[in-house]
Short mmCIF file of all heavy atoms in Angstrom, two decimals:
data_model
loop_
_atom_site.label_atom_id
_atom_site.label_comp_id
_atom_site.label_asym_id
_atom_site.label_seq_id
_atom_site.Cartn_x
_atom_site.Cartn_y
_atom_site.Cartn_z
N GLY T 120 35.62 -16.98 40.28
CA GLY T 120 35.37 -16.33 39.01
C GLY T 120 36.43 -15.27 38.80
O GLY T 120 37.49 -15.30 39.42
N ARG T 121 36.09 -14.33 37.93
CA ARG T 121 37.08 -13.34 37.56
C ARG T 121 36.93 -12.08 38.40
O ARG T 121 35.82 -11.55 38.55
CB ARG T 121 36.90 -12.99 36.08
CG ARG T 121 37.85 -11.96 35.61
CD ARG T 121 38.49 -12.32 34.28
NE ARG T 121 39.41 -13.45 34.36
CZ ARG T 121 40.32 -13.72 33.43
NH1 ARG T 121 40.44 -12.98 32.36
NH2 ARG T 121 41.12 -14.75 33.56
N VAL T 122 38.04 -11.64 38.95
CA VAL T 122 38.04 -10.40 39.72
C VAL T 122 38.65 -9.31 38.84
O VAL T 122 39.73 -9.51 38.27
CB VAL T 122 38.87 -10.55 41.01
CG1 VAL T 122 38.94 -9.22 41.76
CG2 VAL T 122 38.28 -11.64 41.90
N ILE T 123 37.97 -8.20 38.74
CA ILE T 123 38.53 -7.07 37.98
C ILE T 123 38.80 -5.94 38.96
O ILE T 123 37.91 -5.54 39.72
CB ILE T 123 37.57 -6.59 36.88
CG1 ILE T 123 37.27 -7.75 35.93
CG2 ILE T 123 38.18 -5.42 36.11
CD1 ILE T 123 36.36 -7.39 34.78
N VAL T 124 40.04 -5.47 38.96
CA VAL T 124 40.43 -4.38 39.84
C VAL T 124 40.39 -3.08 39.04
O VAL T 124 41.03 -2.97 37.99
CB VAL T 124 41.84 -4.60 40.42
CG1 VAL T 124 42.25 -3.42 41.31
CG2 VAL T 124 41.91 -5.92 41.19
N LEU T 125 39.62 -2.13 39.54
CA LEU T 125 39.52 -0.80 38.90
C LEU T 125 39.97 0.25 39.90
O LEU T 125 39.99 -0.01 41.10
CB LEU T 125 38.07 -0.50 38.54
CG LEU T 125 37.36 -1.42 37.57
CD1 LEU T 125 35.88 -1.06 37.50
CD2 LEU T 125 37.98 -1.28 36.20
N TYR T 126 40.26 1.45 39.42
CA TYR T 126 40.57 2.55 40.31
C TYR T 126 39.37 3.51 40.36
O TYR T 126 38.80 3.85 39.32
CB TYR T 126 41.76 3.37 39.79
CG TYR T 126 43.11 2.70 39.81
CD1 TYR T 126 44.20 3.32 39.22
CD2 TYR T 126 43.31 1.47 40.44
CE1 TYR T 126 45.45 2.73 39.23
CE2 TYR T 126 44.55 0.88 40.45
CZ TYR T 126 45.63 1.51 39.84
OH TYR T 126 46.86 0.93 39.85
N GLY T 127 39.07 3.97 41.55
CA GLY T 127 37.98 4.95 41.70
C GLY T 127 38.29 6.28 41.07
O GLY T 127 37.38 7.08 40.82
N ASP T 128 39.56 6.55 40.79
CA ASP T 128 39.93 7.86 40.23
C ASP T 128 40.16 7.80 38.73
O ASP T 128 40.70 8.73 38.14
CB ASP T 128 41.16 8.43 40.94
CG ASP T 128 42.41 7.57 40.74
OD1 ASP T 128 42.33 6.56 40.00
OD2 ASP T 128 43.46 7.93 41.29
N THR T 129 39.74 6.68 38.10
CA THR T 129 39.96 6.51 36.66
C THR T 129 38.59 6.27 36.02
O THR T 129 38.11 5.13 35.96
CB THR T 129 40.93 5.34 36.41
OG1 THR T 129 42.13 5.61 37.15
CG2 THR T 129 41.28 5.19 34.94
N PRO T 130 37.93 7.34 35.58
CA PRO T 130 36.49 7.25 35.30
C PRO T 130 36.09 6.77 33.90
O PRO T 130 34.93 6.45 33.70
CB PRO T 130 36.02 8.71 35.47
CG PRO T 130 37.23 9.54 35.18
CD PRO T 130 38.42 8.73 35.60
N PHE T 131 37.03 6.73 32.96
CA PHE T 131 36.58 6.56 31.56
C PHE T 131 36.80 5.19 30.94
O PHE T 131 36.65 5.03 29.74
CB PHE T 131 37.27 7.61 30.68
CG PHE T 131 36.88 9.03 31.03
CD1 PHE T 131 37.83 10.04 31.01
CD2 PHE T 131 35.58 9.35 31.38
CE1 PHE T 131 37.48 11.35 31.33
CE2 PHE T 131 35.22 10.65 31.71
CZ PHE T 131 36.17 11.65 31.69
N ILE T 132 37.19 4.20 31.75
CA ILE T 132 37.36 2.85 31.19
C ILE T 132 36.04 2.43 30.55
O ILE T 132 34.99 2.52 31.19
CB ILE T 132 37.74 1.84 32.28
CG1 ILE T 132 38.98 2.28 33.05
CG2 ILE T 132 37.88 0.44 31.71
CD1 ILE T 132 40.29 2.05 32.37
N GLY T 133 36.10 1.95 29.30
CA GLY T 133 34.87 1.65 28.57
C GLY T 133 34.31 0.27 28.90
O GLY T 133 35.02 -0.62 29.36
N GLU T 134 33.02 0.13 28.63
CA GLU T 134 32.34 -1.14 28.89
C GLU T 134 32.95 -2.29 28.08
O GLU T 134 33.18 -3.38 28.59
CB GLU T 134 30.85 -0.99 28.52
CG GLU T 134 30.07 -2.27 28.72
CD GLU T 134 28.65 -2.20 28.17
OE1 GLU T 134 28.28 -1.16 27.59
OE2 GLU T 134 27.94 -3.20 28.33
N GLU T 135 33.27 -1.97 26.80
CA GLU T 135 33.81 -3.01 25.93
C GLU T 135 35.17 -3.49 26.44
O GLU T 135 35.47 -4.69 26.44
CB GLU T 135 33.98 -2.42 24.53
CG GLU T 135 33.74 -3.39 23.42
CD GLU T 135 33.79 -2.66 22.08
OE1 GLU T 135 32.97 -1.73 21.89
OE2 GLU T 135 34.67 -2.99 21.27
N THR T 136 35.98 -2.53 26.90
CA THR T 136 37.30 -2.87 27.43
C THR T 136 37.15 -3.79 28.63
O THR T 136 37.86 -4.80 28.75
CB THR T 136 38.04 -1.57 27.82
OG1 THR T 136 38.16 -0.77 26.65
CG2 THR T 136 39.40 -1.85 28.39
#
Side-chain angles (χ1 to χ4, degrees):
R121 179 134 291 198
V122 176
I123 302 181
V124 178
L125 299 172
Y126 291 173
D128 64 2
T129 304
F131 296 141
I132 304 282
E134 179 188 2
E135 214 174 301
T136 300

